[in-house]
Amino acid sequence: MIPQRLAFVDLETTGANAARDRVTEIGIVAVDGDRVETWSTLVNPERAIPQFIQQLTGISNEMVADAPTFERIADELAERLEGRLFIAHNARFDYGFLKHEYQRLGRRFRADVLCTVRLSRRLFPEHYRHNLDSLIARHGLATEGDRHRALADADLIWQFWRVLRREHEAQALAEAVAHQLLRPALPPHLDPALLEDLPESPGVYLFYGENDVLLYVGKSVNLRQRVLSHFAADTREYKAMQLTQQVRRVEWRETVGELGALLLESRLVKEGAPAHNRRLRRASELCAWRLDEVAAGDFRPALVTADDPDFGRGGELFGPFSSRRQATLALRKIADAHQLCPVVLGLEKPARPGGPCFAFQLHKCRGACAGKETAGLHGARLMAALAKTKMKSWAYPGAIGLVERDDFLDVEEVHVVHGWRYLGTAKSEAEIGELLEQAARTPFDLDTYKLLTTQLAKPRFTIRAL
């Protein structure tokens, strides 16, 4: 059943960051059955409006100078929205701004929220774009007043709602609305405010249990969707149900993008060792093979551990492996597959000095141990056999910053990396300098190495030399 009391809402703001920017205009189309009422007001944001925002919205600093502050309209606005379904285009943006404005006043704002972007995607899946300009063009919506003014845009959302009612069966629209409004049943020991406070942004979430013990660390490009999925009624897997029953507190940390979330998740798992994370744990015996040339063309493998400060930064390494045992086992398999000498590789001791190894007698070694194969040829075959396990060399003279940016919110983060070691994420030049100081103390991590080799191959990031 679709609620009868609706509020189609649009805001204009000084920017896209709800925690930092402020509201400059509010427009509402309130609908009660056949009764429609409109309301709008400019809002003094108590700060300057950036020039490009003035050009986009047509709202200047002079226009809002004598407008009421949000504090002065907060009571009236709350009354106008109370008991209504809050409908907006990209609703979390508008809803998030109002929540932050009320939080600044020490008040809590809550409403059932419906997003017409999500409705459009669900009910018109054949179309690729669902922004307001696309809906105007596609459905012939009438733009009355200035586009990007609050009341005019709120009216466009109201028009789109009438398109939905006209072009879809009532049952289909009701199901689409109900799908958005469906809320998981949180365990009784969790704060219901969690349903309202979770952001729809990338980041990492942490589940804590009794005595604030860390239970689980996860990441997502949509924190709200992912966290709430843990508590969905259709979660039937025993281990998942066991985790949600143990959760007493949920914490989250927002990131600009997916890479920041991946890097932070890996670090927090290793630092906190949560009981329910089976992957991303730190490998305490991480190591790799290095080939040392003991004589001209004669290469012998030497095991190098990740404790070495230069591990991964320079020189050719093959691996890495989670333990000495895994490294030895891998080298033995390579020796068997390529008829390399286990004695020359240091995997076995010779039966007698200068004599053939046991593998040679079984025709599994070409005789480098007994002078039947030159050291140069054996070394060349060893390098060819190890080629597939060669670690990617650090291609930069020093540390770099991977710049991850959200153009919509106009924010960016710099992920500082040196020698495949993730030093941390910075939002300012000062923070970058602080992170660089700890480069020598940051250990090499296998998961970070795998993640970064994959991500650096993509052209999505700006790379800064630091």
Side-chain angles (χ1 to χ4, degrees), residues 69-81:
T69 63
F70 188 87
E71 183 175 10
R72 286 175 54 194
I73 66 164
D75 289 338
E76 181 182 2
L77 178 62
E79 290 176 7
R80 290 182 176 276
L81 295 176

Side-chain angles (χ1 to χ4, degrees), residues 32 46 71 83-84 142 191 204 212 222 228 255 263 287 355 362 370 386 389:
D32 293 270
E46 303 179 89
E71 183 175 10
R84 296 184 181 276
D191 186 350
V204 170
D212 225 28
N222 187 321
L228 294 185
T255 61
L263 290 167
C287 56
L362 299 177
L386 287 172
T389 68

Side-chain angles (χ1 to χ4, degrees), residues 139-152:
H139 301 292
L141 307 183
T143 52
E144 299 179 5
D146 296 330
R147 178 74 174 87
H148 294 298
R149 290 297 299 269
L151 188 57

Side-chain angles (χ1 to χ4, degrees), residues 119 135 202 279 296 349 410 459:
L119 276 182
L135 299 191
R279 47 184 292 274
K349 294 183 178 180
D410 190 28

Side-chain angles (χ1 to χ4, degrees), residues 158-220:
W158 163 228
Q159 291 182 52
F160 177 62
W161 177 260
R162 283 177 283 173
V163 169
L164 294 177
R165 301 198 68 155
R166 184 172 63 246
E167 297 189 9
H168 290 84
E169 295 289 338
Q171 182 64 27
L173 180 56
E175 288 177 358
V177 171
H179 178 75
Q180 279 199 46
L181 299 182
L182 182 66
R183 295 188 175 197
L186 292 178
H189 41 263
L190 283 179
D191 186 350
L194 182 67
L195 292 171
E196 302 293 334
D197 296 339
L198 280 165
E200 290 185 324
S201 60
V204 170
Y205 60 96
L206 302 91
F207 287 169
Y208 292 88
E210 294 285 358
N211 301 316
D212 225 28
V213 172
L214 182 61
L215 299 175
Y216 182 76
V217 175
K219 58 91 181 55
S220 178

